[in-house]
Amino acid sequence: MAVINEDMIRKVFDEMVKHRPALQKHLIADDEDDEVADYRVLGDLIIKNYPWPIGVELRRLFSASMRQLDRMRLDQIFKTIERTMQFTSFVMLSQLWKEKVKGNIEIPESFAKDFSGRFLVLSMGNFTWMIRAIGNIFNEKNTEWFIPEIKENFDKNFYNALDFWVPERNEIGHYQINLTQEEIEKRCVEYEEKLTFILQRISFFAKYKLVSVREIKVIKPKNQQAMFHHVIDLLNSSDSDFKAQELNEPNYAESRSVLLMKNIKSIEDYLNLSPLIIDTNSEILDNKEKFDIKKDIFLYTKFRSDLLMYVGTEVTEKCDLRTLSNYQILLAEFKDMMKTLTGVEVS
């Protein structure tokens, strides 16, 4: 009988290998006495190969403290699926914004109207709506995805699988009903299977790298072409001690942004996820007003009274990020996105 998480890990890893064949070597057991690779090793690889906002939730779900079929595990399954939907919807939304700016796509009036009402306060229901609505726009307009795998994986079955979670989250995740221990155990098993299906469908993220642009410097020798020196942090990791990498090339990205890249060796092809996803790790706390800032990867969650609100991936308490040195830039970018997609200014 498989232990907690093992079945999920093996199924998700098998799908991940299809998109990143280099992982195949890890399926070979290190010990000659073992017929299959240790699922805990595969679990760690899954965490590292999903983008950090998803990987960190799986790290919690796979931890020793979550190996009982109890309320804590049930809540973490909800947290994992919600963060997965949030990240995925932000990737799709970022490309929609980019294509609209480039004049490659027209935003349906019905989407603009619904989006302007839904996006100011996010919920799981809004994430599922965005994924389906943006997917339909791209399909109807026959627009090419930055991530081509979305087209083949986000079908009717996938959308229906997402829809399952919204009423469950509203009722059980928000403690609107009391569950017996028996009911909790059954739901843990059922929800793990449904989460596995979603993770299998988005396993293509293993092909891409999530990075944070920490610094960009211009290097211009005399009589030579200018080069841009990028210092980036790789946000694919099993812990928040992100590995840094340096790139020198004639192309350049946006400063202090979070990017989804097809090739870690070149800045040429990427999708900018800011201001929806931001990294505060490079912020220097050089005055007392900044002491409330926590260093983390944050995801947008709400806009109210001209204030952007974010939720952390490791930080659990609420953080006021208005003292960030680039906060006004983030705010301007957010307003530009809303105006571009809805035609209406927000404040």
Side-chain angles (χ1 to χ4, degrees):
M1 179 180 175
V3 298
I4 295 291
N5 295 322
E6 182 175 358
D7 192 49
M8 174 195 291
I9 287 172
R10 295 197 185 280
K11 287 181 177 179
V12 173
F13 192 82
D14 285 345
E15 286 300 312
M16 200 170 263
V17 166
K18 295 177 183 178
H19 298 288
R20 196 171 177 212
L23 295 172
Q24 180 76 36
K25 62 185 179 184
H26 297 287
L27 289 172
I28 302 173
D30 293 332
D31 193 326
E32 294 181 358
D33 295 331
D34 295 331
E35 295 182 0
V36 294
D38 189 328
Y39 78 94
R40 292 167 296 185
V41 174
L42 303 183
D44 190 55
L45 288 166
I46 287 173
I47 293 168
K48 290 178 179 178
N49 281 279
Y50 274 122
W52 172 255
I54 299 174
V56 69
E57 298 301 341
L58 289 172
R59 185 186 72 182
R60 294 182 177 114
L61 186 63
F62 296 165
S63 67
S65 63
M66 296 285 179
R67 290 177 186 165
Q68 300 297 321
L69 300 179
D70 55 16
R71 184 72 212 209
M72 185 183 297
R73 179 172 177 81
L74 188 63
D75 288 344
Q76 183 55 37
I77 291 175
F78 276 122
K79 186 75 177 294
T80 304
I81 190 64
E82 184 166 22
R83 189 67 77 241
T84 298
M85 291 183 189
Q86 185 175 18
F87 180 83
T88 303
S89 66
F90 284 179
V91 169
M92 298 171 75
L93 179 59
S94 295
Q95 186 178 354
L96 180 66
W97 180 16
K98 181 178 181 179
E99 300 298 339
K100 173 60 177 173
V101 169
K102 292 166 64 177
N104 293 340
I105 202 166
E106 286 297 319
I107 306 297
E109 186 177 336
S110 58
F111 175 88
K113 183 178 180 180
D114 287 345
F115 180 77
S116 62
R118 287 175 175 269
F119 201 69
L120 299 184
V121 180
L122 290 180
S123 64
M124 183 181 283
N126 290 332
F127 298 142
T128 61
W129 174 82
M130 276 194 290
I131 292 171
R132 183 192 292 267
I134 297 173
N136 288 338
I137 291 174
F138 272 70
N139 288 339
E140 290 168 5
K141 307 293 184 181
N142 201 27
T143 304
E144 184 177 347
W145 286 101
F146 173 78
I147 300 176
E149 294 83 3
I150 287 179
K151 185 174 183 178
E152 59 193 77
N153 284 283
F154 289 14
D155 55 17
K156 183 178 180 180
N157 290 335
F158 178 76
Y159 294 141
N160 289 341
L162 294 183
D163 290 340
F164 163 83
W165 291 95
V166 179
E168 297 294 311
R169 170 66 165 171
N170 292 340
E171 187 176 60
I172 299 172
H174 293 152
Y175 287 76
Q176 292 182 4
I177 62 172
N178 294 319
L179 298 175
T180 65
Q181 179 58 30
E182 181 182 359
E183 290 170 331
I184 290 173
E185 291 172 1
K186 288 180 179 179
R187 279 174 167 79
C188 279
V189 174
E190 178 188 2
Y191 292 176
E192 181 178 320
E193 291 180 357
K194 293 183 179 298
L195 174 60
T196 299
F197 175 79
I198 300 296
L199 292 174
Q200 287 177 304
R201 285 300 184 97
I202 64 161
S203 58
F204 53 73
F205 277 127
K207 288 180 61 176
Y208 304 85
K209 292 296 182 183
L210 189 68
V211 309
S212 173
V213 180
R214 189 195 306 173
E215 183 181 24
I216 304 175
K217 290 183 178 179
V218 180
I219 301 174
K220 178 63 175 76
K222 185 176 180 179
N223 300 325
Q224 294 184 33
Q225 182 182 11
M227 299 292 285
F228 296 89
H229 177 75
H230 296 73
V231 179
I232 61 176
D233 288 332
L234 306 182
L235 307 184
N236 293 78
S237 176
S238 57
D239 58 58
S240 56
D241 184 19
F242 301 120
K243 178 183 177 183
Q245 184 167 321
E246 299 183 12
L247 292 173
N248 286 313
E249 58 173 277
N251 300 309
Y252 57 88
E254 292 82 6
S255 303
R256 296 189 64 178
S257 54
V258 173
L259 314 177
L260 191 65
M261 301 178 66
K262 289 186 176 181
N263 186 348
I264 198 64
K265 297 179 181 179
S266 173
I267 295 292
E268 188 173 358
D269 200 6
Y270 64 85
L271 190 62
N272 188 343
L273 304 182
S274 298
L276 303 177
I277 303 177
I278 64 172
D279 180 4
T280 61
N281 284 293
S282 62
E283 185 72 22
I284 299 174
L285 308 183
D286 50 6
N287 61 64
K288 290 183 179 180
E289 285 71 26
K290 291 185 177 183
F291 286 0
D292 288 336
I293 294 175
K294 304 299 181 184
K295 300 203 173 189
D296 196 7
I297 308 301
F298 288 88
L299 286 80
Y300 163 78
T301 186
K302 188 184 300 184
F303 178 79
R304 184 172 59 199
S305 302
D306 218 36
L307 173 63
L308 282 172
M309 302 181 197
Y310 290 87
V311 60
T313 51
E314 280 203 313
V315 173
T316 54
E317 65 267 31
K318 292 183 179 180
C319 298
D320 186 345
L321 300 180
R322 283 177 291 182
T323 54
L324 281 172
S325 56
N326 67 329
Y327 177 78
Q328 291 303 320
I329 294 175
L330 296 172
L331 184 60
E333 289 176 345
F334 180 84
K335 290 183 176 182
D336 176 62
M337 179 192 71
M338 295 300 294
K339 179 69 180 296
T340 300
L341 296 179
T342 69
V344 179
E345 294 184 356
V346 295
S347 59

